[in-house]
């Protein structure tokens, strides 16, 4: 999986500044930046402000709100000087990303009140790409960043958006800056960093489509795994998530979560929903653990946490799970998590095409 960190931020800033530097002799104060209400100059200042803000959030480990500081420019600051500030703040964010451990999360409001270093890198790059587009449009310049990082941004920050053959045009459409054939115009949008649900010894970290792509292809999804890597069930779940994303049907909060140990930041398994709640408010959970992590109560702990999160949602009335009759270990996990066995269900696809029996369990709020 392509990383998204300091190197990518530096590349994005360098490309933007190189283009805008060709037009520093123009009037940035009077020129409106694309569809924005801001001038080209104030938009460039905004980019610098976002880059330093993201660096400050991570460096200060802010968890409850934004660190209360901002950039101010000296009197007489010209266009070239503004670009120098953009370069400097980009370098500060890049350096912060390189020195921040993977498990660190800091405050960001949308939509789950936190982001990790990958999320802040993605948001920083998106700010650079999108606002350079705005400024370039206002100054009559042509700008288009490379397709690959645009696709990465969509797969990390816009998991609810169905991808298209042109990632840059899709990113512009998703942020209200353009049109796509067959899709309604976007008038409101927000970043969507991954959901993280805390448990006692674990954190359940939402798997993005970017991570799911890597997991389904046999990679690590950007996680450090205990016991040599994820179990096959996690890879299969990642593949289903990826299909839903490609179809535009993925709802991130009802997707897949990596179970990450707090003590060492290693993933020990995967757990997730088989889809969004149905019309009766029923949602089903599946899970697995790496072999090296079994027998420690991790699955029970994670199942309790994810079930409690689901049942706290208004649209959920019950959480369900099924298991094979011979899988007594999984049955013990489900029962310890508070589920009650409700039925034995038959499903197609057993050996020789025969129906297979599974035990069904349910937990209600």
């Amino acid at each position: 999986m392509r990383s998204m960190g300091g190197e990518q931020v530096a590349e994005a800033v360098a490309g933007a500044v190189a283009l805008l530097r060709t037009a520093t002799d123009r009037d940035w104060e009077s020129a409106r930046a694309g569809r924005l209400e801001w001038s080209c100059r104030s938009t460039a200042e905004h980019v610098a402000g976002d880059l330093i803000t993201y660096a400050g959030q991570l460096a200060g480990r802010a968890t409850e709100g934004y660190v209360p500081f901002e950039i101010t420019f000296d009197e007489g600051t010209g266009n070239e000087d503004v670009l120098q500030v953009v370069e400097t703040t980009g370098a500060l964010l890049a350096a912060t990303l390189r020195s921040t451990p993977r498990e660190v999360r800091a405050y960001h409001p949308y939509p789950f009140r936190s982001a990790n270093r990958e999320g802040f890198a993605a948001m920083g790059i998106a700010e650079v790409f999108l606002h350079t587009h705005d400024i370039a449009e206002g100054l009559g310049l042509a700008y288009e960043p490379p397709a690959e990082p645009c696709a990465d941004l969509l797969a990390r920050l816009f998991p609810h958006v169905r991808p298209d053959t042109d990632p840059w045009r899709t990113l512009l459409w998703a942020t209200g800056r353009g049109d796509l054939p067959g899709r309604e115009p976007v008038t409101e949008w927000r970043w969507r960093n991954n959901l993280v649900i805390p448990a006692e010894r674990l954190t359940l970290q939402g798997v993005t489509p970017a991570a799911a792509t890597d997991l389904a292809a046999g990679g690590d999804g950007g996680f450090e795994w205990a016991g040599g890597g994820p179990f096959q069930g996690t890879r299969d779940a990642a593949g289903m998530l990826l299909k839903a994303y490609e179809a535009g049907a993925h709802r991130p909060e009802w997707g897949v979560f990596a179970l990450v140990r707090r003590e060492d930041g290693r993933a020990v398994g995967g757990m997730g929903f088989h889809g969004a709640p149905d019309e009766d408010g029923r949602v089903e959970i599946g899970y697995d653990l790496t072999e090296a992590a079994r027998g420690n109560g991790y699955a029970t702990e994670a199942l309790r946490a994810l079930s409690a999160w689901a049942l706290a949602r208004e649209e959920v009335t019950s959480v369900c799970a099924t298991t094979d009759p011979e899988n007594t270990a999984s049955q013990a996990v489900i029962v310890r998590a508070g589920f009650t066995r409700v039925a034995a269900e038959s499903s197609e696809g057993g050996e020789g095409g025969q129906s297979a029996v599974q035990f069904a369990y349910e937990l209600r709020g």
Side-chain angles (χ1 to χ4, degrees), residues 147-228:
E148 190 171 15
C150 293
D152 289 343
L153 292 176
L154 289 166
R156 286 170 167 84
L157 297 178
F158 297 88
H160 56 295
V161 170
R162 176 168 55 88
D164 201 270
T165 55
D166 190 331
W168 174 231
R169 300 301 162 198
T170 305
L171 184 61
L172 292 176
W173 169 81
T175 57
R177 289 172 167 83
D179 300 317
L180 278 182
R183 304 200 198 186
E184 292 295 321
V186 172
T187 56
E188 294 183 1
W189 61 274
R190 298 290 190 189
W191 309 133
R192 291 188 65 88
N193 283 292
N194 63 327
L195 171 64
V196 173
I197 299 172
E200 183 180 351
R201 297 170 297 164
L202 306 170
T203 58
L204 283 64
Q205 301 184 14
V207 173
T208 66
T213 300
D214 191 55
L215 284 169
D220 59 17
F223 299 95
E224 292 185 12
W225 290 87

Side-chain angles (χ1 to χ4, degrees), residues 29 41 45 71-79 81-82 85:
E29 192 62 63
R41 177 188 169 89
E45 292 176 359
I71 284 182
T72 58
F73 288 87
D74 293 339
E75 185 177 350
T77 299
N79 295 336
D81 298 320
V82 171
V85 176

Side-chain angles (χ1 to χ4, degrees), residues 234-254:
T234 297
R235 297 197 186 281
D236 293 342
M240 290 187 288
L241 185 158
L242 186 58
K243 288 181 180 179
Y245 170 64
E246 292 172 343
H250 177 48
R251 291 181 61 184
E253 61 270 37
W254 302 108

Side-chain angles (χ1 to χ4, degrees), residues 329-345:
S330 182
Q331 293 166 35
V333 167
I334 294 170
V335 171
R336 284 196 299 269
F339 285 67
T340 301
R341 182 175 162 183
V342 293
E345 297 181 347

Side-chain angles (χ1 to χ4, degrees), residues 254 273 281 283 285 304-320 339 362-365:
W254 302 108
F273 301 101
V283 66
I285 287 181
R304 285 172 178 160
L306 191 57
S307 298
W309 182 88
L311 288 170
R313 313 276 79 75
E314 290 185 1
E315 65 267 43
V316 175
T317 58
S318 65
V319 180
C320 306
F339 285 67
E362 184 179 62
L363 179 66
R364 289 182 172 270

